[in-house]
Amino acid sequence: MELLYLVGTIWALLFLTFAFCFDDRRPMSTKLKYKYRVKENSIFRKIIKFKDKKHYPCNYFKIVPFYVFLLLAVLSLILLFVDIFTNGFITNTIPEEAFIIAMLCIFVISIAYFLVIIIWWEIVDYNEFKFAKEELYKERKNKK
């Protein structure tokens, strides 16, 4: 049963990363958007055709987790089918605690990754906004 929970967690995180790939509501620094943009000739764009949105290009911070969870999802399904067709050989061999620990580790690491990325983008975006506001203030002051 824990193997099913592990597979379900991985697939849920895959769908979360897929939604994260197409979410453009979060503010992101212009410098970061284009510095870490996935290039047109990248292997990531050749496997799955991700399109850039206007003023919001695909970047590695969104695409790489999707590919990692896609790989984990395929491997977990293979593991599940092997377990089903061998009448529970894997679940009888590997202790339940190992599946629970793997599931919790994957879940905690992915949530921590998304939180760090979002907080980092917010900080950089705030600093750029603050710098632009100061520059605008200086320009207005110089015109007087």
Side-chain angles (χ1 to χ4, degrees), residues 59-101:
N59 61 29
Y60 287 108
F61 297 112
K62 289 185 173 189
I63 301 297
V64 171
F66 176 73
Y67 281 106
V68 168
F69 280 110
L70 184 63
L71 179 66
L72 284 175
V74 169
L75 291 176
S76 68
L77 274 181
I78 291 171
L79 189 67
L80 181 66
F81 286 135
V82 167
D83 188 55
I84 290 171
F85 291 125
T86 58
N87 294 325
F89 175 74
I90 294 173
T91 53
N92 292 333
T93 307
I94 300 174
E96 295 175 356
E97 292 83 15
F99 289 117
I100 293 172
I101 290 170

Side-chain angles (χ1 to χ4, degrees), residues 6-22:
L6 178 65
V7 172
T9 301
I10 290 172
W11 276 89
L13 289 171
L14 174 68
F15 292 132
L16 179 74
T17 57
F18 185 71
F20 189 67
C21 284
F22 294 107

Side-chain angles (χ1 to χ4, degrees), residues 5-40:
Y5 292 149
L6 178 65
V7 172
T9 301
I10 290 172
W11 276 89
L13 289 171
L14 174 68
F15 292 132
L16 179 74
T17 57
F18 185 71
F20 189 67
C21 284
F22 294 107
D23 183 23
D24 59 355
R25 298 172 294 153
R26 291 237 161 255
M28 186 178 178
S29 164
T30 307
K31 182 172 68 172
L32 292 178
K33 279 183 198 177
Y34 294 103
K35 183 177 181 180
Y36 298 107
R37 180 182 173 273
V38 179
K39 306 295 185 243
E40 295 298 327

